[in-house]
Amino acid sequence: MRRLLKPLLAFVLGLFTVLGFAPFYFFPIPILTLAGLFHLWLHAPSRRAAMLLGFAFGFGMFGAGASWVYVSMHDFGAMPAPLAVAATMLFCAVLALFPALAGLLQQLLGRGPSAWKAGLIIPAAWVVGEWVRGWVLTGFPWLATGYSQVPASPLAGFAPVLGVYGVSLAVAASAGLLALGVEGGRGKGGGASSFILHPSAFIFLALWLGGFALQQVEWTRPAGAPVAVSLVQGNIPQEMKWRPDKVRGTLSAYERLARESAGRLVVLPETALPMFYDEVPPGYLESLAETARARGGDLIVGIPEYRALDKGGEYFNSAFSFGAAPPQIYRKSHLVPFGEYIPLKPMFGWVLNVLHIPLADFSRGAAVQQPMDVAGQKLAVDICYEDVFGEEIIRQLPQATMLANLSNDAWFGRSFGPPQHLQIAQARALETGRWLLRATNTGVTAIIDQKGEVVRQAPQFVVAVLEGEAQGFAGETPYVRFGNRAVLVLAGLMLALGVIAARSKLSPLKKGE
């Protein structure tokens, strides 16, 4: 029984980590919970024990933080409840393998408690695990610990320089230093004073002051005058969205909302029109275009697209622009496995018979596409899940002056999913030094400034047109220039230095130290 106490503690620490993310925003909590995990890792007796601790922590964090997966599969995908519970648990267990691998990595590179292991090896191993999770099997970087600091924490200042993984590294380094201070003070009475008086406290303070100083830097500069924008939230229930008898009502609602909007740039959500582009009634799109042209502006709307080929055809999740500027198209490139396409279809094609998801076989758009030239702005458009991948968003920069995300978070229902997705969008704005417009079906529809702050936000699950002004920006942040390469180099250097120092036994942590 005693063997299970530490994994159980790690699981509970993982559960509490979720409080650092939206909608709670208690950003110090992930630092404390990671410090607890790192303390357990420092005293793990074996590689297997370290992996079990990492897995338990990850299963707790993803089990609570990604619980919206059940909502998507059961409530809207019509998967039977027992199967949806099993699939959600399996999904969370797969994600928990990455903290487990981080536990294995830190155990392989540094054995026993040491200052170098706590301060360098473990934080770098944690971030490497998050980065690998962001691309293996197309990637799932949701709940990267760096997001928990956006936008209020001083550590968010590292986002324009090193991206969200750089913020994760700052979080993990803070946790490692905290664990190190507590370890170093165990023989000196313990308690909070042991950390305050420990040398690691000064490094901790310097790290946070550095993040605060970076928050004061203006990485980009305003370009041109602000533009009036209208973000349309149709609030079409997901269970009604694709019903043939509801299509006419949906078209009428969006046409009315577009006419009632006041912005020079009007943005509608992902797949706002529940039909293929070539099936839209004649004159409907021209009506939308005329509404935009009357204001000297443009309208962007999500519409599924079918393109005929010599052999069959292909489908795209697309966004179209209409109005004063020439028509333009953005086609979604990073698709959601099992939601927008079936990987290894001969093996997993049966999933289509279990999940009732419309249009689950999209094709990928080009990896690199040009920003839309609309309403006097160069708009870097992405669709739904794509904004989770920061290094893909910067492909349209520094040319783009503004970002736009068209999404349909109705799939998440009333769960943690929509506010977490908003926080991810805030990180993208902060990384790029650009305002970001989020037009969603049921929320969270929002205007976000270049500092990652929400300027205006529509309430969820209501029909709304969010009116406001958005400022275009020019220039490039260090993250736009270097992407994730900079944080990977830094993590690699930390691992190398930590291994060299730890193996030379320069600073073992002894009880009397």
Side-chain angles (χ1 to χ4, degrees), residues 477-492:
T477 63
Y479 181 72
V480 168
R481 177 172 296 183
F482 300 110
N484 291 331
R485 295 190 298 275
V487 69
L488 292 175
V489 169
L490 180 57

Side-chain angles (χ1 to χ4, degrees), residues 256-282:
R256 174 179 56 81
L257 292 170
R259 287 178 176 172
E260 292 175 355
S261 62
R264 184 182 173 195
L265 175 61
V266 181
V267 186
L268 276 61
E270 173 192 17
T271 59
L273 308 188
M275 59 184 61
F276 290 112
Y277 175 80
D278 58 359
E279 296 175 345
V280 178

Side-chain angles (χ1 to χ4, degrees), residues 85-389:
V85 169
T88 301
M89 292 182 67
L90 176 61
F91 177 70
C92 294
V94 170
L95 295 177
L97 292 175
F98 294 96
L101 291 174
L104 174 62
L105 179 61
Q106 62 83 29
Q107 189 78 359
L108 288 171
L109 298 181
R111 294 186 177 182
S114 77
W116 300 105
K117 183 176 179 181
L120 294 175
I121 294 175
I122 292 180
W126 177 264
V127 171
V128 168
E130 285 197 340
W131 174 74
V132 172
R133 175 163 62 88
W135 59 265
V136 167
L137 299 176
T138 78
F140 188 79
W142 205 282
L143 292 178
T145 45
Y147 289 122
S148 68
Q149 306 301 297
V150 176
S153 166
L155 296 185
F158 291 100
V161 181
L162 297 171
V164 75
Y165 292 125
V167 183
S168 290
L169 186 59
V171 171
S174 298
L177 291 167
L178 187 59
L180 173 59
V182 173
E183 278 288 329
R186 289 174 70 190
K188 299 181 180 180
S193 61
S194 66
F195 174 65
I196 295 172
L197 298 175
H198 195 272
S200 61
F202 298 99
I203 304 174
F204 184 97
L205 181 61
L207 181 65
W208 282 68
L209 288 175
F212 176 77
L214 289 172
Q215 282 183 313
Q216 315 312 310
V217 177
E218 299 293 338
W219 298 103
T220 53
R221 61 189 183 278
V227 59
V229 299
S230 301
L231 309 182
V232 178
Q233 181 173 290
N235 195 40
I236 309 298
Q238 187 61 35
E239 62 271 21
M240 302 289 186
K241 184 178 177 68
W242 298 97
R243 281 177 47 176
D245 60 321
K246 299 295 181 180
V247 169
R248 179 171 296 183
T250 298
L251 294 178
S252 298
Y254 277 118
E255 185 175 27
R256 174 179 56 81
L257 292 170
R259 287 178 176 172
E260 292 175 355
S261 62
R264 184 182 173 195
L265 175 61
V266 181
V267 186
L268 276 61
E270 173 192 17
T271 59
L273 308 188
M275 59 184 61
F276 290 112
Y277 175 80
D278 58 359
E279 296 175 345
V280 178
Y284 182 85
L285 296 177
E286 178 55 32
S287 174
L288 295 181
E290 184 56 39
T291 298
R293 279 196 294 265
R295 304 174 191 145
D298 297 278
L299 177 145
I300 298 174
V301 55
I303 314 174
E305 179 189 7
Y306 173 76
R307 189 165 64 178
L309 300 175
D310 293 337
K311 296 182 179 180
E314 52 186 358
Y315 304 87
F316 296 97
N317 188 349
S318 301
F320 293 81
S321 76
F322 305 98
Q328 296 154 78
I329 305 174
Y330 173 81
R331 297 184 174 105
K332 188 175 182 181
S333 173
H334 200 126
L335 305 178
V336 181
F338 301 105
E340 292 176 312
Y341 80 102
I342 302 298
L344 303 175
K345 191 176 293 186
M347 185 182 303
F348 295 111
W350 59 270
V351 174
L352 289 173
N353 299 322
V354 178
L355 289 175
H356 297 279
I357 297 177
L359 304 179
D361 198 16
F362 280 118
S363 300
R364 290 182 175 86
V368 180
Q369 301 179 55
Q370 293 301 308
M372 286 189 178
D373 190 352
V374 290
Q377 299 292 325
K378 298 283 189 180
L379 200 65
V381 176
D382 63 84
I383 296 177
C384 197
Y385 181 67
E386 287 186 306
D387 69 346
V388 180
F389 301 90

